[in-house]
Amino acid sequence: MSGTAEARALGTESAARQSLSLDGVWQFRHEDGPWRDAHVPGPWQAEFSDLVDTSGRAVYKRSFAVPAGWEQRELALKFGAVSYFCEVLLNGEKIGEHEGAYLPFELIVPARLIRTSNEVEVRVTMPSADHRLYPDFPFSEIPHGKISWYGRIGGLWQSVSLEARDARRITDVVITAGMDRQVRVNLDFSEPALGLPAQLSVCDSDGAVVAQAQVTAAAEAEALLSVPDAKLWSVDTPNLYSLTVDLADADTVTHSFGFRTIETAEGKILLNGEPIYMRGALDQDYYPDGIYTPPSLEFLEDQARKAKELGLNTLRCHIKVPDPRYYEVADRLGLLVWTEVPNVATFTQASARRMRETMEGILQRDRNHPSIIAWTLINEDWGTRLVENAEHRQWLKDSYDWLKAKDPTRLVVDNSACFPNFHVKTDLNDYHYYRSVPERRQEWDDITAQFAAGADWTFSPLGDAERRGDEPLIVSEFGVWGLPDPKLLRGANGKEPDWFETGSLWGDGVALPHGIEARFAALDLHRTFGSFDQFIEQVQWYQFMNLRYQIEQMRLHPSIVGYVITELTDVHWEANGLLDMERNPRVFHDVFGTINADIVIVPRPERYSAYAGADLPIELTVATGGHTIPAGAVLRWSGDVSGHIEVPATGPVSTASLGTHAFSMPASPDNRMLRIDFTLEADGAVLARNSCEIALFAERSTARQTSIAAVDPKLAAYAAGLGYQILPAAEADIVLCHAVDGKDVEAIKAGARYLILADGSVETNRNLRTDMPDGELPHRSIVADGKKFRPSLDQHLPGISLVERDGTIWRGDWIAGFSWVRRDGPYAAIPGGPILDLAFSDVVPHHLLTGFRPWEIGNNVHAGMVVGWVHKPAAIIGEKRVGRGGVVATTFRLTQAAPGSDAMAAALFDALVQTTKELPVDR
């Protein structure tokens, strides 16, 4: 950071340097559009709704007068950041240009150009991908980060000022201060300053001088100061010091810094020599009004405090270089920051050069901040092609070595990886993977276990990886969508932010926010959730359930020493934040810190459903993170079940495995949700809390009144095992099957009731039929343009298509699907709801049903799902009238376990049987 910028951040200004802010209203014109007022700092896309997603060229200009007394001093126009390329003119004459969207630059003002009233003009270019129009810097070859996701950014998005100073000045200060309490200072000076004496003073937070030294200004000057009693900087104790450099009578600059050391050893991250557990969140560093530009220092402070309230100790600032105040706040409030170079889209020599120049600029501006502990060169192979290009892999290894040599005080990540890419040489073995629970719970468990065991898929399999083997394991992206409350995002006049109209090009269209309430109403989802407000609350608790389970699962593996949640805040249409775009908290804000903590209690029941009066085995583990558990600690549980167990003394970044214990479920005449509260106590203090919810079912009667027919002997045995009488089809109340054929359809048309367990175990024609209706054969022979044409699959009776979720937006990974069972009629007694919880883990469907119209969703669909901002409705349980009979179909996988062993499966089966029996038929 420049001395003036640093002084401004600290609230002080050097007497040797004076600054005139040029922030405020500028005249602005985009391409051939009209002249209008624009506010600086801020991208033009944030201010003008008609320019929300525009590239192109724009002009900014404003007038200023040079303050009296500045005439004989060196003047510089200073820009915090301009996106992307700009030419600067003063009083009509070009004085310089700059390329790069994220970093500061300055231009010396020629004295001959200064007048009583001066006009500065900045001509800005934000390129598109058209390499013919922008041959020098097409968009795909410039570092741009998430501009390619959330919309383009152009203009003067950081502050502009005019600085007056002596030509004899300090040009750069690099501070290295570690846990050895030594302060190593490297200084650069302007040429006129060479030979002048410079006084260095280190002050503590009270302003007391604790060390001093003198150097003579040279092209490269060094100093070493010792502060034996220095207090180290950490997350819990963010102790800051300041270094002031006085250059004779010519210049003074002050920089803030902290004593801290970050390194890795034996699979752990060590802060000041002690292991820490990274509890991070991805931060896109986007803002509700300014997009790239934070509204104020106070806003950043509030955001950081909320992050710490959530239990976070790290922010991964994602492929973006933030406003310098971001780091200043992290320094003061105690947050670790992991910063990444903004990515390009196409790897060329020019784009590689630009990325390296960007990293050099980041180091020059930001390297004195103790909060920054890690750099990332590439995110998820964006811009490079590591899987197929050996040159890219070699470039990445070379870049790792280059950056490590440039800054040995921090960790360096080569490629923050995800499937199918990998690392080649790195300080952290980090990986990204997304799975929703309960939808993909087993996949989450399996991948996490493999990663914790040192999976070989995290590094290049092509013979060129340089893997030490002890790189700390970090799950550096995971999470699931919730949804914000749209009312909190609209203006006082009810106007939606411009980004509500974006997102339609992502996730098969499910990321479009606009119209969410109308879609909710059209699907009659109020019948399931009560109201739209209750729906929003439920999906936010669903997000909490996911994050809690996934964090707990990672904490079971002590080899995993940290994680990064996606993400701190929602960003436009991307709704997976712990806070919304306006930094409003989710409903779980006050309880999230109980599981996003150093010490975490992990209860793992054999199943998240149980029968009243039965024993439920629960495995108990306590994970320590960066803290320890002293001798004499006790884990207690209370609520519907009570008890306690002693916990052995446990060191940091470890687990205390307490074994599996039989929890006796209380007697209950009704089905309900049971909650067990856990508390870890030691020496009269509470070290950790958590809870576990179980779907408790009353003891089930085996005598069932409905009779069932089933040709499949396994289905017949399953139904019989649940107490149903098995009879021939002509005598049974309902027919049970996995799929139907033409004979079954004729029976339904004649008045039969069918229950179809369409769980994918029987091959069909992507619907509920194992055959193809004879009447369709002529249509299948129609050929046009070389293609055979077939009618829609949901035209085949019973008019329902069967869709495998894998490979579709319904899968349940990054953009979440919200699956529900409407708790009315036969389903009213199923505990919890409406959204599927962990009790559904073993029955969650791998297929879905389509062919239901919107007006059927709130009526004939008893269980279903929507995705993202309430798009792509599909059914999990649905009924249809066919001729004089009818069918009930479900994709729940109810026959995975022995009859009755899974209480949730048995309850759903009973409810489905009752639903089928109640179908209206004409016989």
Side-chain angles (χ1 to χ4, degrees):
M1 179 185 291
S2 70
T4 302
E6 181 75 2
R8 203 160 47 234
L10 291 171
T12 62
E13 186 176 278
S14 166
R17 300 190 184 201
Q18 294 172 284
S19 182
L20 172 68
S21 174
L22 297 183
D23 291 350
V25 177
W26 290 54
Q27 291 297 296
F28 170 84
R29 185 182 188 184
H30 180 263
E31 298 286 355
D32 296 326
W35 284 100
R36 44 188 162 177
D37 290 346
H39 292 83
V40 173
W44 73 64
Q45 291 85 352
E47 186 157 12
F48 304 112
S49 292
D50 60 319
L51 302 177
V52 165
D53 200 18
T54 54
S55 297
R57 296 176 172 86
V59 178
Y60 291 80
K61 62 182 181 179
R62 65 158 291 168
S63 298
F64 67 92
V66 176
W70 287 20
E71 296 84 357
Q72 303 306 315
R73 309 187 72 189
E74 180 179 86
L75 301 182
L77 278 169
K78 299 175 73 69
F79 296 83
V82 178
S83 180
Y84 169 74
F85 173 82
C86 70
E87 297 175 296
V88 180
L89 291 80
L90 184 65
N91 297 324
E93 184 172 322
K94 181 177 175 180
I95 62 172
E97 62 185 37
H98 181 263
E99 181 185 343
Y102 298 99
L103 294 166
F105 64 96
E106 65 178 35
L107 301 171
I108 304 298
V109 177
R112 62 180 175 79
L113 294 181
I114 298 299
R115 303 171 184 169
T116 302
S117 178
N118 302 278
E119 182 180 76
V120 58
E121 179 179 329
V122 185
R123 298 173 180 174
V124 182
T125 300
M126 178 62 212
S128 70
D130 188 342
H131 65 88
R132 295 174 181 84
L133 191 58
Y134 304 100
D136 296 329
F137 35 74
F139 182 78
S140 63
E141 296 181 35
I142 66 171
H144 57 254
K146 284 293 188 74
I147 292 177
S148 60
W149 283 52
Y150 309 129
R152 295 158 218 185
I153 299 294
L156 284 61
W157 68 273
Q158 286 189 30
S159 290
V160 184
S161 63
L162 178 71
E163 182 177 86
R165 64 210 183 187
D166 196 306
R168 301 168 300 164
R169 57 190 173 85
I170 304 150
T171 58
D172 195 23
V173 180
V174 175
I175 304 170
T176 304
M179 59 183 293
D180 61 0
R181 274 78 172 181
Q182 301 292 308
V183 186
R184 294 165 179 83
V185 184
N186 294 87
L187 297 160
D188 289 341
F189 300 88
S190 65
E191 186 173 347
L194 300 183
L196 293 177
Q199 176 80 27
L200 283 67
S201 302
V202 175
C203 296
D204 64 17
S205 59
D206 295 323
V209 176
V210 294
Q212 286 186 308
Q214 279 192 331
V215 299
T216 298
E220 294 182 3
E222 296 182 6
L224 179 65
L225 301 90
S226 179
V227 187
D229 298 323
K231 298 176 181 178
L232 300 182
W233 185 96
S234 72
V235 172
D236 297 324
T237 56
N239 299 303
L240 290 175
Y241 290 76
S242 62
L243 172 73
T244 298
V245 183
D246 291 299
L247 176 66
D249 60 348
D251 196 14
T252 299
V253 296
T254 298
H255 289 255
S256 175
F257 71 97
F259 291 87
R260 72 105 184 92
T261 301
I262 192 77
E263 55 193 339
T264 67
E266 298 178 346
K268 295 180 175 60
I269 302 173
L270 304 179
L271 178 62
N272 300 327
E274 299 294 330
I276 60 168
Y277 195 94
M278 181 181 287
R279 304 189 307 278
L282 199 71
D283 185 12
Q284 312 278 5
D285 190 42
Y286 271 62
Y287 299 93
D289 297 319
I291 309 179
Y292 259 27
T293 307
S296 67
L297 179 65
E298 292 73 22
F299 188 96
L300 292 171
E301 290 172 336
D302 177 69
Q303 172 179 272
R305 290 190 186 100
K306 286 174 178 172
K308 297 201 74 168
E309 289 169 4
L310 289 161
L312 298 169
N313 62 15
T314 306
L315 297 179
R316 179 176 163 223
C317 192
H318 193 36
I319 47 179
K320 178 179 180 288
V321 186
D323 183 294
R325 293 172 295 175
Y326 184 99
Y327 294 126
E328 189 266 326
V329 169
D331 289 348
R332 283 192 289 111
L333 298 188
L335 278 168
L336 307 176
V337 181
W338 176 355
T339 292
E340 304 174 327
V341 179
N343 67 284
V344 299
T346 303
F347 191 88
T348 64
Q349 289 184 349
S351 57
R353 171 184 54 79
R354 291 186 181 105
M355 284 190 287
R356 180 163 292 194
E357 289 173 349
T358 301
M359 189 64 239
E360 288 177 325
I362 293 170
L363 284 172
Q364 184 173 7
R365 193 193 76 170
D366 299 327
R367 69 182 303 159
N368 292 338
H369 289 284
S371 57
I372 304 174
I373 62 163
W375 309 114
T376 290
L377 291 163
I378 295 292
N379 173 71
E380 293 185 346
D381 203 14
W382 291 358
T384 50
R385 291 296 179 266
L386 301 177
V387 175
E388 298 174 306
N389 197 313
E391 291 182 4
H392 292 189
R393 297 194 296 273
Q394 186 61 50
W395 172 85
L396 192 54
K397 284 198 290 185
D398 293 344
S399 296
Y400 166 89
D401 291 335
W402 166 81
L403 183 50
K404 199 68 179 173
K406 278 276 189 181
D407 184 9
T409 70
R410 292 183 174 89
L411 309 178
V412 175
V413 174
D414 56 344
N415 171 52
S416 195
C418 69
F419 300 107
N421 51 78
F422 40 66
H423 294 283
V424 291
K425 188 177 186 180
T426 183
D427 290 335
L428 298 177
N429 185 357
D430 72 311
Y431 221 80
H432 311 169
Y433 51 94
Y434 294 88
R435 298 292 187 277
S436 298
V437 296
E439 290 81 3
R440 298 284 164 176
R441 175 188 165 192
Q442 191 59 55
E443 286 184 30
W444 176 267
D445 291 357
D446 291 346
I447 294 171
T448 301
Q450 292 174 38
F451 181 64
D456 57 7
W457 37 258
T458 65
F459 271 78
S460 170
L462 301 170
D464 50 4
E466 296 184 28
R467 183 175 189 175
R468 296 191 307 271
D470 67 343
E471 296 91 345
L473 299 175
I474 306 289
V475 180
S476 51
E477 283 189 32
F478 76 102
V480 67
W481 278 35
L483 287 174
D485 184 345
K487 296 193 303 298
L488 302 179
L489 302 174
R490 296 189 175 101
N493 59 358
K495 184 179 182 299
E496 292 180 343
D498 290 324
W499 57 261
F500 258 56
E501 296 283 2
T502 67
S504 61
L505 302 180
W506 293 92
D508 201 20
V510 303
L512 175 67
H514 178 70
I516 180 175
E517 288 102 331
R519 290 188 293 276
F520 181 88
L523 297 173
D524 288 328
L525 287 176
H526 66 278
R527 289 199 56 198
T528 297
F529 292 94
S531 67
F532 180 76
D533 288 344
Q534 289 174 288
F535 167 73
I536 294 295
E537 181 176 344
Q538 285 290 319
V539 299
Q540 290 186 13
W541 281 117
Y542 168 83
Q543 183 183 11
F544 173 76
M545 175 193 71
N546 269 263
L547 292 173
R548 176 167 70 174
Y549 180 87
Q550 291 166 357
I551 289 171
E552 288 176 349
Q553 196 66 22
M554 288 184 289
R555 298 305 299 270
L556 287 175
H557 301 280
S559 59
I560 297 176
V561 297
Y563 53 76
V564 178
I565 300 163
T566 305
E567 54 198 326
L568 178 62
T569 76
D570 294 342
V571 186
H572 295 180
W573 47 264
E574 189 174 301
N576 46 13
L578 301 174
L579 307 168
D580 71 17
M581 190 72 180
E582 295 280 350
R583 277 49 174 180
N584 296 304
R586 296 285 205 249
V587 295
F588 53 76
H589 187 85
D590 293 340
V591 299
F592 192 73
T594 62
I595 53 99
N596 187 40
D598 258 311
I599 300 178
V600 174
I601 304 163
V602 184
R604 273 292 177 264
E606 180 182 68
R607 187 172 272 129
Y608 285 85
S609 62
Y611 288 111
D615 285 345
L616 177 64
I618 300 181
E619 181 182 8
L620 299 176
T621 306
V622 180
T624 55
H627 287 185
T628 61
I629 300 173
V634 176
L635 178 66
R636 304 183 188 279
W637 52 92
S638 60
D640 290 296
V641 184
S642 60
H644 69 277
I645 188 174
E646 293 184 359
V647 180
T650 308
V653 193
S654 187
T655 57
S657 298
L658 308 179
T660 300
H661 301 265
F663 281 61
S664 181
M665 298 292 100
S668 178
D670 302 309
N671 300 346
R672 62 184 179 88
M673 292 303 295
L674 173 146
R675 176 178 167 130
I676 306 171
D677 292 304
F678 294 90
T679 305
L680 178 65
E681 301 172 355
D683 301 324
V686 175
L687 303 183
R689 299 181 188 275
N690 202 358
S691 62
C692 181
E693 290 77 38
I694 304 296
L696 186 68
F697 291 85
E699 186 177 357
R700 183 177 178 278
S701 170
T702 57
R704 317 306 292 179
Q705 296 181 348
T706 303
S707 58
I708 293 177
V711 174
D712 185 326
K714 291 182 179 179
L715 281 180
Y718 184 83
L722 290 174
Y724 290 94
Q725 184 181 11
I726 306 302
L727 295 176
E731 303 173 28
D733 296 316
I734 68 172
V735 177
L736 178 66
C737 60
H738 284 303
V740 296
D741 59 17
K743 292 180 180 179
D744 294 309
V745 170
E746 292 303 315
I748 297 167
K749 286 160 59 179
R753 298 181 175 94
Y754 269 61
L755 172 56
I756 306 173
L757 304 185
D759 54 14
S761 59
V762 171
E763 185 174 352
T764 68
N765 291 298
R766 290 180 295 152
N767 52 22
L768 304 186
R769 298 283 294 259
T770 58
D771 64 344
M772 187 66 68
D774 290 341
E776 189 171 305
L777 292 176
H779 298 282
R780 294 174 66 201
S781 63
I782 293 178
V783 176
D785 195 22
K787 300 176 183 178
K788 289 185 178 181
F789 285 82
R790 295 173 54 179
S792 172
L793 296 174
D794 63 14
Q795 296 302 309
H796 310 158
L797 289 177
I800 301 172
S801 294
L802 183 66
V803 180
E804 185 175 2
R805 296 174 70 172
D806 211 8
T808 74
I809 195 62
W810 287 303
R811 174 180 162 82
D813 289 340
W814 176 57
I815 299 182
F818 307 116
S819 302
W820 45 267
V821 174
R822 188 167 62 248
R823 300 313 208 269
D824 62 7
Y827 309 91
I830 294 176
I835 290 182
L836 305 193
D837 54 40
L838 288 164
F840 289 82
S841 293
D842 294 337
V843 302
V844 71
H846 292 172
H847 296 74
L848 294 169
L849 305 170
T850 61
F852 293 91
R853 302 297 177 252
W855 50 268
E856 293 182 279
I857 299 295
N859 302 279
N860 298 333
V861 173
H862 303 279
M865 72 178 302
V866 291
V867 187
W869 293 80
V870 189
H871 294 275
K872 299 285 184 182
I876 297 172
I877 300 174
E879 64 177 71
K880 276 191 180 288
R881 187 73 182 265
V882 180
R884 296 198 299 272
V887 301
V888 172
T890 184
T891 56
F892 276 123
R893 297 175 301 123
L894 302 180
T895 61
Q896 305 301 302
S901 60
D902 183 342
M904 178 61 74
L908 284 169
F909 188 87
D910 291 341
L912 286 160
V913 169
Q914 185 63 28
T915 303
T916 310
K917 187 177 181 180
E918 292 175 358
L919 284 174
V921 298
D922 297 326
R923 288 182 172 172

